[in-house]
């Protein structure tokens, strides 16, 4: 009798989390935009204005993100499973994410100079294997290594499965698994659900 091979769980597989530097831009593309569609977000929507994208990348969003990857603080981290890029987590000081820093819907809770997680993506074929959990922990570790006092995220708390079009915000359960706690509720919504303010103090 033949059996279907079991896909290795990410907890048992070799998972590494590495900051996005210029040399890893193709790995980043493999996760977020493998077809390299020109109009794709490239995780810049909260970071750069159209004018800044023009200045940094001559209007090319991939080139603009490349310029961010060469700065001292990476714009996020990439998850590798057995050396294959499988996930992306955008994490930076909140002050370096202008649209979030100025948001009237997700307002600061206090004066702590938090880092913020604004987006997460796991490639098809690697989901529901624990990659997000390991990636989030790696993102927190990266922030801690650069002196972050705390990390925040703004997920939702769905009763069932999350709408995939809004899955990039994450879920309460996902963040609770890596030590985040709810400290407030924002005025923003995703899939008609309020986005929570969750924090992990470092």
């Amino acid at each position: 009798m033949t059996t279907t091979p079991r896909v290795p769980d990410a907890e048992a597989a070799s998972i590494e989390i590495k900051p996005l530097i210029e040399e890893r831009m193709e790995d980043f593309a493999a996760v977020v935009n493998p077809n390299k569609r020109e109009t794709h977000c490239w995780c810049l929507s909260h970071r750069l204005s159209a004018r800044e994208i023009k200045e940094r990348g001559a209007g090319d969003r991939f080139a603009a993100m490349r310029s961010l990857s060469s700065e001292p603080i990476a714009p996020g981290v990439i998850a590798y499973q057995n050396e294959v890029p499988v996930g992306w987590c955008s994490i930076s000081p909140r002050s370096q994410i202008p649209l979030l820093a100025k948001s009237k819907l997700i307002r600061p809770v206090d004066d702590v100079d938090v880092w913020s997680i604004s987006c997460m993506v796991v490639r098809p074929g690697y989901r529901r294997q624990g990659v997000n959990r390991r990636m989030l922990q790696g993102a927190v570790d990266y922030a801690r290594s650069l002196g972050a006092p705390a990390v925040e995220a703004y997920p939702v708390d769905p009763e069932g499965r999350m709408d995939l079009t809004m899955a990039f915000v994450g879920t309460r359960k996902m963040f609770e698994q890596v030590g985040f706690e709810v400290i407030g509720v924002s005025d923003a919504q995703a899939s008609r659900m309020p986005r929570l303010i969750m924090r992990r103090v470092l």
Side-chain angles (χ1 to χ4, degrees), residues 17 19 72-77 91 115 137-147:
I17 310 299
I73 297 179
V77 297
I91 181 171
W115 285 44
Q137 182 59 56
V140 169
D141 291 342
Y142 176 66
R144 179 189 287 115
S145 75
L146 293 178

Side-chain angles (χ1 to χ4, degrees), residues 1 14 70 81 105 108 145 157 167 188:
M1 183 178 68
S14 175
S70 66
Q81 181 172 316
L105 298 178
S145 75
D157 188 15

Side-chain angles (χ1 to χ4, degrees), residues 94 100-101 103-108 154 186-188 195 197:
R94 179 180 171 121
L100 180 58
S103 175
K104 297 184 183 302
L105 298 178
I106 304 179
R107 295 181 294 276
Y154 315 101
S186 78
D187 291 326
R195 294 183 66 174
I197 301 174

Side-chain angles (χ1 to χ4, degrees), residues 66 75 138:
R66 183 189 294 277

